[in-house]
Amino acid sequence: MNLSDIPIDEAKKVLNEFKQNKPNVQCAGRHVEYMETRLYYEELIRNLFIKKGGSVTRNAPHYMVVEHSPWLSTWYENSAYIKIPIKEFDLKTISFTYGDSHPTFSPKVKDAKEYRKKVYMYDEILAIIKKYGLPQDWNYDGKFGPERYIEVQIWSDNPINKYKR
């Protein structure tokens, strides 16, 4: 389920259900204004992506990460992951942030790293990965900052719908 695809009141109900029924999972700890913040960052990322020539067919992205993130596997009970080869995607429909988009764009994160407040196209993120590596390799425990994976924003339902149950 993508929380951004449903009305904000419904999304907040889903988050509240997690808080009540599964208080130990990661999303149960989301702050009260999480959905407003999420929608704000999605709009910001979408606009930056379009300025770079990205193609958007969804209002809100589907979220994935580059490579497996062991830390993300701790977020949910019985978590699992799939690998979708990059060749299945239209590269003009995917954007990247080096780290989760929330701390990437948060005004609270003031470390001035070059990848803060930036959205990358595929070729650009490859250069950043070459320079810094994968965050899950060098920052598994978060000691060196908030980046623990590379977030992928997929602005199309293709090929995602192929993998939905």
Side-chain angles (χ1 to χ4, degrees):
M1 173 188 289
N2 188 329
L3 289 173
S4 300
D5 285 339
I6 59 179
I8 194 167
D9 290 340
E10 287 181 42
K12 286 183 172 189
K13 284 180 187 174
V14 170
L15 291 173
N16 283 331
E17 287 175 17
F18 273 108
K19 287 178 193 257
Q20 292 173 357
N21 301 327
K22 296 185 179 200
N24 297 323
V25 299
Q26 190 276 346
C27 57
R30 302 265 193 220
H31 58 84
V32 175
E33 300 296 321
Y34 171 77
M35 283 308 302
E36 288 83 359
T37 304
R38 177 179 171 137
L39 296 173
Y40 170 77
Y41 288 143
E42 286 175 350
E43 181 179 1
L44 182 65
I45 293 166
R46 183 177 54 254
N47 290 337
L48 290 170
F49 181 56
I50 290 169
K51 282 182 186 176
K52 286 184 165 244
S55 176
V56 172
T57 61
R58 292 180 48 82
N59 192 45
H62 293 290
Y63 290 97
M64 298 187 86
V65 297
V66 174
E67 296 296 333
H68 174 61
S69 169
W71 182 65
L72 282 179
S73 293
T74 68
W75 284 22
Y76 302 97
E77 299 170 345
N78 304 316
S79 68
Y81 67 94
I82 62 169
K83 287 186 173 188
I84 302 174
I86 192 69
K87 67 183 178 187
E88 290 195 41
F89 293 92
D90 174 350
L91 296 181
K92 287 208 171 266
T93 66
I94 57 176
S95 59
F96 302 83
T97 52
Y98 193 82
D100 186 278
S101 55
H102 285 243
T104 295
F105 286 95
S106 173
K108 295 176 183 174
V109 179
K110 299 179 183 193
D111 58 18
K113 291 180 179 174
E114 76 169 287
Y115 43 79
R116 294 285 178 247
K117 300 181 182 22
K118 291 187 181 170
V119 171
Y120 295 100
M121 301 297 279
Y122 179 68
D123 59 331
E124 296 171 317
I125 199 65
L126 290 179
I128 294 295
I129 293 169
K130 185 174 183 180
K131 187 173 184 177
Y132 295 105
L134 295 173
Q136 57 265 49
D137 292 341
W138 60 265
N139 196 32
Y140 173 80
D141 58 5
K143 274 196 279 190
F144 302 109
E147 52 282 305
R148 294 192 187 190
Y149 52 82
I150 296 169
E151 185 179 280
V152 186
Q153 302 89 28
I154 302 154
W155 298 97
S156 169
D157 287 324
N158 296 319
I160 301 302
N161 283 345
K162 178 176 153 183
Y163 292 90
K164 282 185 178 179
R165 288 187 189 173

